[in-house]
């Protein structure tokens, strides 16, 4: 079992390195096309990107089973919202990896009759649903942490640092009854909420990294499904950023969002 865990971890690291290289090629290919590079060079970059994509699919063989095991563990979480978001996310990831395995078989020539376009669309739909669940989980955790931080600020003495975010400053503005005073009040409330959000994310780096990574990843299926055309440059940049953040969580496990 320990050997399998070590092997799985190594495969995951290699897959993320290949992913970073793939999206770097996508970004480079877009830059070369934009600056009028030779067609031969652009073709070589596209071929390298395709080879890296196929290699990633090979490294992801068997990931569906890992995603199902993660879903089984998530079912036992005590928080109902986290249990729902994480379980549904892992189930969609399992379906995404299953579609990805079918695509690999088709591109490798093992299943030449596979409709690759149809299976690619299916895989990106499951990928999109998984990311939506991940971002919903992030939003829920942010809301909980903001409520905790707001309550903690409200209990601090008025003269202490950070106490104005809790409610004393906002409460003072709430009592303003001058005509037209509602707009400045809303602006101040919005500023306080943004400052509170920044404080929460600054104090929880794993959550901040997860939000940025999932947001970057979201552009990929949106573009592939035609829901929001971003272009290869944006897709390559977002994929590269999210890949680097994923590698960072492997190098620094404390940056991984738990559970």
């Amino acid at each position: 079992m320990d050997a399998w865990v070590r092997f799985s971890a190594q495969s995951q690291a290699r897959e993320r390195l290949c992913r970073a290289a793939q999206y770097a090629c996508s970004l480079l290919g877009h830059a070369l096309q934009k600056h009028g590079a030779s067609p031969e060079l652009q073709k070589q970059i596209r071929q390298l990107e395709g080879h890296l994509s196929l290699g990633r699919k090979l490294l992801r063989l068997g990931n569906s089973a890992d995603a199902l095991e993660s879903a089984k563990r998530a079912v036992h979480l005590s928080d109902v919202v986290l249990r729902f978001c994480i379980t549904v996310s892992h189930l969609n990831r399992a379906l995404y990896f299953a579609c990805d395995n079918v695509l690999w078989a088709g591109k490798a020539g093992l299943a030449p009759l596979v409709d690759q376009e149809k299976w690619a669309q299916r895989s990106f739909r499951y990928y999109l649903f998984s990311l939506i669940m991940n971002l919903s989980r992030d939003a829920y955790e942010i809301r909980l942490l903001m409520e905790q931080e707001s309550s903690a600020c409200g209990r601090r003495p008025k003269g202490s640092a950070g106490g104005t975010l809790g409610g004393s400053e906002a409460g003072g503005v709430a009592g303003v009854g001058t005509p037209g005073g509602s707009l400045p009040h809303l602006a101040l409330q919005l500023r306080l909420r943004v400052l509170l959000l920044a404080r929460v994310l600054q104090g929880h780096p794993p959550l901040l990294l997860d939000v940025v990574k999932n947001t970057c990843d979201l552009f990929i299926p949106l573009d592939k499904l035609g829901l929001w055309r971003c272009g290869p440059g944006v897709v390559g940049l977002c994929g590269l950023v999210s890949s680097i953040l994923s590698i960072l969580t492997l190098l620094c496990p404390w940056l991984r969002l738990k559970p």
Side-chain angles (χ1 to χ4, degrees), residues 166-186:
S168 59
E169 186 175 337
V173 179
V176 176
T178 58
S182 58
L183 188 58
H185 169 60
L186 290 175

Side-chain angles (χ1 to χ4, degrees), residues 187-234:
L188 179 58
Q189 287 287 343
L190 178 61
R191 188 172 76 84
L192 291 175
R193 299 298 291 181
V194 171
L195 290 174
L196 185 60
L197 174 62
R199 174 180 291 186
V200 165
L201 293 177
Q202 183 182 9
H204 299 83
L207 182 56
L208 174 60
L209 260 65
D210 200 66
V211 171
V212 175
K213 183 174 70 68
N214 288 326
T215 303
C216 289
D217 282 335
L218 190 64
F219 289 97
I220 300 173
L222 288 177
D223 180 80
K224 299 298 184 181
L225 294 172
L227 300 175
W228 188 10
R229 292 295 183 184
C230 309
V234 174

Side-chain angles (χ1 to χ4, degrees), residues 95-127:
L95 293 171
Y96 162 68
F97 287 133
C99 294
D100 200 60
N101 295 340
V102 174
L103 281 171
W104 174 82
K107 291 185 176 181
L110 300 178
L113 299 180
V114 167
D115 188 341
Q116 296 191 24
E117 181 63 27
K118 182 179 71 174
W119 282 96
Q121 291 292 304
R122 286 178 179 172
S123 68
F124 282 118
R125 277 197 294 270
Y126 291 128
Y127 185 33

